[in-house]
Each structure stands twice: as structure tokens, then as C-alpha cells.
Amino acid sequence: MPVQIAAGNWKMNGTRAALDELDALVTQLPATAAKVVMCLPAQLLFPAAKLAESTVLSIGAQDCHTAQSGAHTGDISAPMIADTGATHVIVGHSERRADHAESDADIHAKARAAWDAGLTAIICLGESAQQREDGSTLEVIKTQLAGSVPQGASAKNTVIAYEPIWAIGTGLVPTLDQIAEVHDFIRAQLSGDAADISLLYGGSVKASNAADIFAIENVNGALVGGASLKASDFAPIVNALR
Ligand code: PGA
């Protein structure tokens, strides 16, 4: 059975003062809560991992380089992330694919680098508005899955997030049938060790729509941007997990 996961993504938001929100979140999470992962900007990883010690909260980064170290100014490697105490890293978020021209092959290599450092890779996939309109969504997802999820992916080292680009930060959410169609499709592509990988939906998830989305059979949680910034917005999403 795939694990239920509520993951947050602060993107490029948060200075040390924002750690108060994490503190507040920890106090609002039931001890038996499903897995909760907060993916933070790099400078908060170390203090956040300290804060999250002995709690149900895990900490993740938002990207990693493919190399372990070297002449890559401004980048962060997977071993550096692991050294902070973080356990997860998002790879292939559509904002990275768009802003940094990351290809499926780049994301594949980043996922491998994450595994090599002992991190769980949260690999993101999703179609653009144009691709949705063209009717090529499932084809796009198939290509991204094949190109960015390495052989050896399992529930132990990988989480997959389906995030339609047009739903991210827009308040637009696909219909429940549209989400179900893509999640069923992804689940059908995963076999062997990969069969139990948790599949998260992402894109304008909030407390008011989370329960309906989590009721979909092959949705095992969410990757949440805007509504993860405040404990009072995110805790109800965690509590809506099945
Ligand atoms: P959003 O972002 O919840 O603000 O739409 C989701 C994401 O980018 O992971």
C-alpha cells in the first residue's frame, strides 16, 4: 500500500522568521499523522531539520545538482542536503523545468544523485495548458515518466507528484475525473518495486478541496505550494489525508 504523504513546497519564500510557522505546524500535527514533508529553501534546511527532530515532520530541499561536488557556482548537491538532516528533495518541479531548462534527462540524473545521497526524490510531472487542450496529456506524462524516473525507483526512494502546470499557483484545479485519469494512468505504468510509490497531486490544493482530491483512489497525498506557507492552512490539509 502506498504511504499517504502531505508535502509542502515553500519555493523561494521564507527567512529564519518563518521557522515559527514550522514550529506551529509541528504542534498542530497529530502524532499518528501520515508522512508530512516540508520542502524549504536551502538556507532553512539545517535549522528546520533540527526543529523537526523527533517529530512527525520530515524536511526536504527543492532541487539538487547531479554532481556530488565541484565547480557549479550557486548549486547545492544531494550530499550537502543530506548533511543538513533533510531526507527528501524535489526534482523536476515545473518551475525548475521552465526557469532552468531542465530536461527529463537532467531530472533522471538528479533523482539518481538524490538516491546516492540517501535522499527520497520527489519527482514532478505535469502537462501545460496547451498540451491539456491538445489532448496530449497522457502522452506527455508517459514521456516524462519514462525519461525522468530512473530504473530502481521504489517506494523507499521515490515519490511521484502529478502537477498540471496550469493548476500551479493559479487557483485552477482539474476536475476530480481528470486527476483520477492521470493518477490511474501513472499507477498502471509502475510495476515491481515501483508499484507502491506514493502518487501525489499538486496544483492549487487547499483545505477546502483536499478531502475530495484525497478520496480519489490513486491519489496518495498532495504537494502543496501556497497553502503550505502557513501552519493554519497546511495542518487541515494534513488532517484531510485518509
Ligand atoms: P500551489 O503550488 O499549491 O501554490 O499551486 C503547487 C506546487 O508548485 O507544488
Side-chain angles (χ1 to χ4, degrees):
M1 276 288 282
V3 177
Q4 303 287 306
I5 302 174
N9 172 13
W10 281 11
K11 309 191 179 187
M12 199 171 71
N13 296 294
T15 57
R16 281 180 298 162
L19 293 171
D20 290 349
E21 284 299 327
L22 270 196
D23 230 352
L25 178 65
V26 166
T27 61
Q28 289 175 42
L29 294 177
T32 53
K35 208 163 179 47
V36 184
V37 185
M38 198 60 87
C39 298
L40 299 172
Q43 97 287 6
L44 292 182
L45 294 175
F46 180 71
K50 268 237 150 323
L51 184 158
E53 253 170 27
S54 321
T55 75
V56 297
L57 179 66
S58 302
I59 301 299
Q62 299 170 7
D63 178 53
C64 66
H65 198 276
T66 56
Q68 295 201 349
S69 62
H72 304 289
T73 303
D75 279 313
I76 186 165
S77 74
M80 290 170 178
I81 292 166
D83 187 51
T84 67
T87 51
H88 291 66
V89 60
I90 296 172
V91 295
H93 190 281
S94 61
E95 287 152 15
R96 296 287 315 177
R97 290 179 185 258
D99 295 355
H100 299 271
E102 291 187 5
S103 66
D104 285 335
D106 295 327
I107 291 147
H108 187 278
K110 287 178 180 218
R112 289 218 70 101
W115 297 351
D116 288 346
L119 299 172
T120 297
I122 303 174
I123 303 176
C124 300
L125 318 166
E127 82 285 3
S128 66
Q130 188 62 52
Q131 290 164 333
R132 167 64 63 180
E133 232 163 80
D134 291 349
S136 55
T137 297
L138 296 183
E139 211 175 296
V140 168
I141 296 298
K142 189 171 184 179
T143 304
Q144 291 179 343
L145 262 179
S148 42
V149 181
Q151 282 293 322
S154 74
K156 286 202 178 67
N157 59 24
T158 301
V159 173
I160 294 176
Y162 165 58
E163 300 204 302
I165 297 168
W166 50 275
I168 294 176
T170 58
L172 298 171
V173 182
T175 64
L176 299 177
D177 284 347
Q178 286 173 326
I179 297 173
E181 181 188 32
V182 177
H183 278 248
D184 290 350
F185 179 79
I186 297 172
R187 180 62 71 209
Q189 310 282 312
L190 302 173
S191 58
D193 285 347
D196 279 343
I197 288 178
S198 300
L199 301 183
L200 312 186
Y201 167 76
S204 299
V205 175
K206 30 189 190 301
S208 57
N209 60 20
D212 286 344
I213 293 170
F214 295 158
I216 300 171
E217 189 185 350
N218 279 314
V219 172
N220 311 119
L223 179 54
V224 183
S228 71
L229 293 169
K230 293 245 167 302
S232 55
D233 291 333
F234 193 63
I237 296 174
V238 177
N239 286 323
L241 280 173
R242 283 175 283 156

